[in-house]
Amino acid sequence: FEYLALQLPIIALADDGEVKKVIEETKAGIVFSPQDTNAISEYLFSCLRAFTKKQLHSQVKMNASINQFSRIHVTSQLTNVFSQILRA
């Protein structure tokens, strides 16, 4: 989750699960199956070609989906939980 805050694209090798779900929902990068070596290498080579042409865009826009994982937001949620416990 800390990597999301860097606003850099994430290249993840993951099967179905939370990693894939978070990256896709936040639009923070791309996910490949670890077994899909052809797609992984094609993507990396396309990034390299774009980089050499100075056409690689490497910033992910911060959005509400990503903000839900920020330290400030998570700390705020935890504070609310503690407040509810203390009131009970």
Side-chain angles (χ1 to χ4, degrees):
F1 298 123
E2 296 296 323
Y3 200 83
L4 290 170
L6 295 176
Q7 297 180 41
L8 295 172
I10 297 170
I11 301 171
L13 306 180
D15 292 314
D16 291 339
E18 287 301 309
V19 170
K20 182 177 180 177
K21 181 180 172 186
V22 168
I23 292 173
E24 289 177 348
E25 285 180 0
T26 59
K27 297 179 175 68
I30 188 165
V31 181
F32 294 100
S33 168
Q35 292 78 27
D36 195 355
T37 56
N38 287 336
I40 296 165
S41 64
E42 286 175 21
Y43 181 77
L44 291 174
F45 278 118
S46 72
C47 288
L48 180 60
R49 284 190 295 276
F51 176 77
T52 58
K53 295 178 182 178
K54 298 185 190 302
Q55 296 173 342
L56 183 64
H57 304 289
S58 62
Q59 187 158 6
V60 174
K61 294 190 190 251
M62 193 60 82
N63 60 49
S65 296
I66 292 175
N67 283 335
Q68 71 179 324
F69 299 107
S70 74
R71 287 182 180 177
I72 292 171
H73 182 75
V74 172
T75 303
S76 174
Q77 288 180 316
L78 184 58
T79 301
N80 290 337
V81 169
F82 287 152
S83 295
Q84 289 175 2
I85 292 171
L86 292 174
R87 280 188 232 135

